Amino acid sequence: MAQCVQSVQEFIQDSFVPLVAALCSEEAERLTRKNNLGFSELVKPFCRLTSEVHMRDPNNQLHVIKNLKIAVNNIITHSPQPGGIRKLLNDVVSVSQPAEGLVANVITAGDYDLNISDRSVKASVPWYNNWKDTLMELNTSTFYSATTPWFESYRESFLQSMPASDHEFLNHYVACMLVVSSGEPEPVEQFLKLSQEQHRIQHSSEYAYPKWFIPNTLKYYVLLHDVSAGEEQRADSVYEEMKQRYGTQGCYLLKINSRGSNRGADEQIPDPWSQYLQKNSIQTQESYDDGPYSVISNKNADHLISDGLDNDIQDGLSNNFKAHPLQLDHLSDTSTSFDATEYIKTTTSPHESKKTSSGTPHGTCLTLTDHDRIRQFIQEFTFRGLLPHIEKTIRQLNDQLISRKGLSRSLFSATKKWFSGSKVPEKSINELKNTSGLLYPPEAPELQIRKMADLCFLVQHYELAYSCYHTAKKDFLNDQAMLYAAGALEMAAVSAFLQPGAPRPYPAHYMDTAIQTYRDICKNMMLAERCVLLSAEILKSQSKYSDAAALLIRLTSEQLTWMGMDSDLRSALLLEQAAHCFINMKSPMVRKFAFHMILAGHRYSKAGQKKHALRCYCQAMQVYKGKGWSLAEDHINFTIGRQSFTLRQLDNAVSAFRHILINDSKQPAAQQGTFLREYLYVYKNVTQLSPDGPLPQLPLPYINNSATRVFFGHDRRPAEGEKQAATHISLDQEYDCESSHQWKELEEQVVAVVNKGIIPSNFQPTQYCLNSYSDNSKFPLAVVEEPVTVEVAFRNPLKVPLLLTDLSLLWKFQPKDFNAKHNGETKELACGNDMIGAEVIAEFLINSEETKMARLKLFPHQTGELHILGVVYNLGTIQGTMMLDGIDPSIGLQAGKFVYNGMSVRGRQDLEIQGPRLNNTKEEKTSIKYGPDRRLDPIITEEMPLLEVFFINFPTGLLCGEIRKAYVEFVNVSKCPLTALKVVSKHPEFFTFGGNTAVLTPLSPSASENCSAYKTVVTDSTSVCTALMSSASSVNFGVGTGSQPEVIHVPLPDSVLLPGASVQLPMWLHGPDEEGVHEINFLFYYESIKKHSKMCHRVLRHTAVICTSRSLNVRATVCRSNALEDEGKGDNMLVFVDVENINTSEAGVKEFHIVQVSSNSKHWKLQKAVNLSEDKDYKLASRERGKLCFKAVRCKNSGENYTFADIVFGNEQIISSASPCADFFFRSLSSELKRTHTQSNMFQGAVKQSFDEAVRLIQKCSKVDLNIVVLWKAYVVEDNKQLILEGQHHILLHTVGKEAYSFPQKQGFKKILGNSDWEDLEQESPEMVFLKFFRPESSSLPTRPTPDQLSNLIKTSLHYPESFNHSFHQKSLCLVPVTLLLSNCSEADVDVIIDLRHKTTSPEALEIHGSFTWLGQTQYKLQLKNQEVCSLQLKACFVRTGVYNLGTHRVFAKLADQVTLFETSQQNSMPALIIINNI
């Protein structure tokens, strides 16, 4: 139970006090009414004695009475009615509420912090550890416990309003005060009248009420004298007469009203009456005084609260007595039952009395002296009148009982049954067990001993009282007088508890038996409730909280409800006290506390105590909140919302309903719909109270703030026919971090080119779409007159659809002129659309548990700073009838077709996006700090040009190496001209707009007929085998030295595109050499003619997806020719080209025709084909392979221009030095050079020595910069039509003897390993690269040239006859002249040593070739200049016939300015065989 202000002893003593009746004359009542008080009210604050009182018991032992209190009441001649008692108790509980404005009482019980009552407290009660000391302190201290003053007020009023009963005498009057005014003409006669009136009331049969303790009631005569108005001498004389008539101990002169009501009003006199009058403790009895009665219907007095929301909900009590009777007991007379009407006096009501007492001052004519006089009067009455009368009565009863039965003089020694008085005739057992089955006459000894016990109890003689109760209990039980027995058991238990020194334990079983008897046998719930209240308080004082809780709960069982004996108010109060018992236990049972608080709140609600019901639910919510019990939370929040709304606490109601909706509810759809409708109804009432106030925050639907995306710009036009619009960027595309990084790199690349290789410090990458992954640390830039689209992610957590209407963005705008550097005034949300136009979505339906995106647009019409704050909308639902069989028929409904249920509220939700967590500095790492996210705060800049790009006849599939011609259309859709149009791509080899010398139309008629992409000319048949020469510069094709090949200038006419203008340009496409799906990014860059401070340029993105399939696999090798031509220097090489058709015929390709092989180089050129067949047609069917051999010679003029040599295999020459053939060659060449340059720069040394220079010169000998272009045609059958496809492959030959490919190297591995093995290798390749270690200091260049590189330094050739005839018979020695040609292949002077002394020592070589001898000088030392050719005349000597190998000489070479470190033998690649014949 909750902590009470009084101790349990004080509570019980104050509950049972001697009752004194007061009978006043009209004049005396008038005197007291000057103070707005009746006589009984006047003396009430002074009825507790401040000093000890002594009296003697029947054994003449002195008995001390402490803190005695008496009760003085007006005589009321009728019993309190049940309806009146219900009304009184309801009012008492309703008036007493927790104090507002005080710090809440927080008790920590277990894992819970419970806000209990109106006291400020913090008690730490851990769940398991160290709980004992804390809880003992909690239980024993009043400071650490919660108080429930409404329960104490109810308990006090309940005990005071109990009607007097015949089976006990505690509520019977012991004495009567007769009060007369001294101002009356004949005060003594008035005393006689009042005495007669009292006698008539007590002894006449017409008055059954009130009850009197004994027939000889003490009468105390009080003369009331008005000091301010009456004559004091007269009063004294009358008082003297009274003393002579009634004795000094039977009368008293009370002087009051010492000050007049019209003077001294400014003095502050204490008002001790207000606290008593506000409790309404006795007013109910007064309201039943003599006077007319009227019938008041509950239907008029009460406001019934309907569950439906169509009716206005009004404040008031919802007590339907038929459904929830608040009856406290059932009397035997059923005619006094109150169902629908209550008999209440029309003149006063508790509410009216409360208003009167609270607003009217009391005791205005009394001084502090008068207060002391009244206090002295009560003490005199008690000392001289009441207590002697009680002491005398106890002695008389004791003597009477002893004289009648002849027992011992001492009741304390009685061990046998004392009395067996006359009883009514025997009854049946059923009658005996009824409360009215056995009635004792007033003079029965059993009642006399009960009367003596009650008198002893009232004067705190608990030991004697217990003995009497115990004795009476036995008699009543023997007689089966259950009502009398229950009363004796009840008071015996209380007396045993109150005995000083606790000689015996509290007999709780007495109380249990009494409660059961009252409730089940006697059907008297009022007496049962009194037992429960007393026993629970006693058990609580003994820390038996579990027993106390069980006792309290027992009186609220459902069985009582079925029997019609339950009272909602009583059950609510007792359940609340039981809940407090659970948290005061040693191990607090917090969940039981919460559960019983819920039950109490429910019963409070049924009893019409809405405030108390709300308080109980709120306290229970502290336990259930956040524990995952969502259904319990929903029920509590729903009830809190309804109760708060009934009490017009609209903010609390909104908050409670909001919690229901924002939690992940597990309620069924119908219940959620009910919650939502209630919430909307409450919200509507809140908004109606302040229609001009700020828009409220709505809880539904959920908004995922981090998923908010912002898009700047217009939506792109869709494709029209063969026109394909640039993909750019839109909200429909998924964000790709890698792709975004690539776009940023492309933009930085083109910006660096425009700014001469430097990226400006204020450069800000263009971001058209901002999301949670983009960099939102800077203010984004938007362009005036271009829409800003905000995509908001709504989620409906409910199982019912939500309908948002008039959905739009909430924004704030600050206009600024960026050019003039002048800041305008901040403009808040404007009603008009003069600066910002906002799009409004009329209806936006979100189905149950659906996540749906809403795209809302703003149209800025002026430059400045825009801040998007949130969204504003009407939240409503559609009619539930639209949901049939689980199918939502609203899908597919037209806009404006949704059916409202008339329930919608307007509100807002803010968009608050949290930026990324900062983790750079030490301070940021050790704390939690977040950076800004400015995606909703764009800066509106000046007008800029806007480009749209369309691709015409753009293919989706190509063969590898295929050339296709398409067109690109550029359209300026803005009002500003644009210039400096460029396109940047990571794959510049994929496309070209043509070089500066490009001719856009082919020359030959056949090329026009076949829609060839190449520039062609007709050739003569005589020039088939020889090469046709031309030259071109790489600068003409955008691949000059120091330029960025990825950045391509778009050749606009006049370099400007005017507003509204469009231009079409041809674009040649080259299929990537690797098969598969390729994504190729184009970034179009353009600027405005007018320079702006905020936005310098704009970009447009396009991603082309090309699927390439296999065509030809081309490999080439170059090797030096040993033959030295007679003409000029001996620089010639052989080029072997392998061509394989690896097409899988999936694309419908029948065969490939090699139409031309071209070379382009600054130093070499193809001269002729070596092994060309006579039919000139070089075609390859599927999986066929061909080999071509060409002779290449050094160019005569080696400048910066490239020499193109075309070897034509047909009738038309494709001019390889013109667009697009040369474009793609130079693109691929620059890409290859960039790739090799990047690799060589990775580990390049910083120090260059002459040693490295020597190595480079030697290595350069094996380098050839010869590039081969194989041009082909493929014949494709598609839709019964034959198409001719064209294409070209590039092979870049760098090193002599090393094979080169037209495709990336790994394709070759794939071919060798097979597809499955290659896929495994691809999966492992990242790890393989990661595990590779480098040593940069040793990897710059090889320390020594390889033998292959040294062998290419000097080229040697032997010239001799293949056979030589000699007559060995004539001359035994055969001398053959041999010429040795030496050619310096390097660009430096070379020292050469020729050593002819080398002999073949291999026995196999001797068997095959004979041995011979060189004659003459055997060693030569020469120095060959750059590219010099030298010949030596040698003689070989043979002694017999045979086949000889002349390649036995050794050649050593070194650079002229180097030591012999690099000297090595130059081995011939082929044997030089000669046949010696004998003739």
Side-chain angles (χ1 to χ4, degrees), residues 759-774:
I759 298 178
S761 59
N762 61 346
F763 168 71
Q764 184 175 343
T766 303
Q767 295 187 102
Y768 283 101
C769 185
L770 301 178
N771 50 37
S772 57
Y773 303 103
S774 57

Side-chain angles (χ1 to χ4, degrees), residues 52-55 61-66 459-461:
E52 293 183 356
V53 188
H54 300 84
M55 64 173 286
Q61 297 293 322
L62 189 64
H63 173 63
V64 180
I65 306 174
K66 298 179 180 179
V459 293
Q460 302 178 12
H461 203 318

Side-chain angles (χ1 to χ4, degrees), residues 112 590-602 605 610 612-645 652-661 663 665 667 671 675:
Y112 305 88
V590 186
R591 289 195 294 274
K592 276 200 171 187
F593 160 78
F595 178 69
H596 286 86
M597 288 301 283
I598 293 292
L599 297 179
H602 174 64
S605 179
K610 302 301 180 184
H612 288 291
L614 176 61
R615 176 184 50 77
C616 288
Y617 277 101
C618 289
Q619 290 182 12
M621 188 62 184
Q622 299 172 89
V623 177
Y624 289 106
K625 186 176 182 180
K627 298 297 183 295
W629 297 356
S630 60
L631 296 179
E633 279 194 65
D634 290 347
H635 167 74
I636 297 172
N637 275 316
F638 181 71
T639 309
I640 290 175
R642 275 206 163 183
Q643 300 287 7
S644 299
F645 181 75
N652 292 340
V654 168
S655 177
F657 281 116
R658 180 187 180 93
H659 277 93
I660 300 178
L661 299 177
N663 290 334
S665 176
Q667 299 284 357
Q671 190 63 46
F675 289 161

